[in-house]
Amino acid sequence: MNNQRLLFGICGSFCNHTKIVTELKALAQNNDVQVIVSKNVYEMDTRYHKAKDFIKEIEQITKHKVMHTLQEAEKSGPILQFDMMIVAPMSATVCAKIVHGIYDHPITLAIKAMLRNKKNIVFGIATNDGLGISGANIFTLLNYRNFYIIPFRQDAPFKKERSIVSDWSLLVETCEKAQYNEQLEPILLGANI
């Protein structure tokens, strides 16, 4: 991907953030990338990183201030005119909100704004119950127009048998396919065992 204006949403699954930063760096080399984060990502310190440090790292990579409010998210469609949106990791909660048309979150509102402009959304899932109750929402989203998933697998089938996570190394390739309205296949990958 080259010379694209990309909106990159980051939700919870804090344990995946380090891998996401690697992919963000790759995208930012040849594209103009703006990041939007959930309130939790913007404010919460975790065992993985301090919120302020994480936000600072992202801003250094992208050369843009991180967006994190509903007011900023609303502008992502009509004013800022991005070519594509990536949400990685997407939490099960954000997935459920999109499926049910709930736009009370910076990332869900940004997705709504992008869809209004008929732009594609690439998402990578990370949730401990993806093969449980959240599975219905994930697989519903797969059937919506303009949504493309980063292929995923069970990440710990014998310890967390319902947990799934996208293969972040396939993020850029998924975006490249989505530019042409194609889904990177296979969607389901072999489990990490």
Side-chain angles (χ1 to χ4, degrees):
M1 288 186 70
N2 292 299
N3 302 314
Q4 298 290 301
R5 292 201 69 228
L6 304 173
L7 182 59
F8 198 114
I10 302 175
C11 303
S13 191
F14 292 88
C15 61
N16 285 286
H17 286 179
T18 299
K19 292 176 183 173
I20 293 303
V21 167
T22 300
E23 301 309 315
L24 181 63
K25 286 177 183 175
L27 283 173
Q29 287 179 357
N30 300 311
N31 301 281
D32 182 14
V33 184
Q34 170 69 60
V35 172
I36 185 167
V37 299
S38 68
K39 179 179 180 182
N40 286 346
V41 171
Y42 194 77
E43 295 178 357
M44 285 179 62
D45 293 336
T46 69
R47 61 185 165 128
Y48 301 102
H49 53 69
K50 298 241 184 257
K52 287 182 181 179
D53 295 339
F54 183 65
I55 298 304
K56 182 179 178 182
E57 181 180 14
I58 289 170
E59 291 176 344
Q60 288 172 341
I61 292 166
T62 64
K63 311 290 190 269
H64 294 291
K65 295 293 281 180
V66 166
M67 296 165 52
H68 62 97
T69 67
L70 290 172
Q71 294 89 334
E72 292 166 325
E74 192 277 331
K75 296 176 184 176
S76 59
I79 297 170
L80 299 178
Q81 297 292 318
F82 294 100
D83 297 309
M84 180 185 297
M85 184 171 182
I86 300 145
V87 183
M90 177 184 278
S91 66
T93 300
V94 166
C95 181
K97 286 175 181 272
I98 291 298
V99 168
H100 295 285
I102 301 169
Y103 305 113
D104 61 351
H105 183 288
I107 292 173
T108 61
L109 188 58
I111 289 171
K112 178 184 177 188
M114 293 292 291
L115 291 173
R116 181 171 65 182
N117 289 345
K118 299 181 176 72
K119 301 299 181 180
N120 288 339
I121 313 294
V122 169
F123 71 102
I125 200 72
T127 178
N128 287 330
D129 70 340
L131 298 179
I133 193 75
S134 294
N137 292 320
I138 295 164
F139 288 98
T140 297
L141 197 57
L142 284 176
N143 286 297
Y144 285 2
R145 188 175 179 189
N146 299 103
F147 282 90
Y148 299 89
I149 193 165
I150 301 165
F152 62 91
R153 63 172 44 95
Q154 286 181 271
D155 57 310
F158 301 108
K159 293 181 181 175
K160 301 184 294 180
E161 64 274 1
R162 289 178 173 73
S163 182
I164 59 173
V165 65
S166 284
D167 183 336
W168 307 120
S169 70
L170 298 174
L171 189 153
V172 174
E173 192 176 352
T174 305
C175 291
E176 288 169 347
K177 285 281 198 181
Q179 281 184 290
Y180 302 101
N181 302 315
E182 297 175 10
Q183 172 63 57
L184 179 64
E185 297 287 354
I187 292 172
L188 297 173
L189 305 172
N192 281 341
I193 52 175

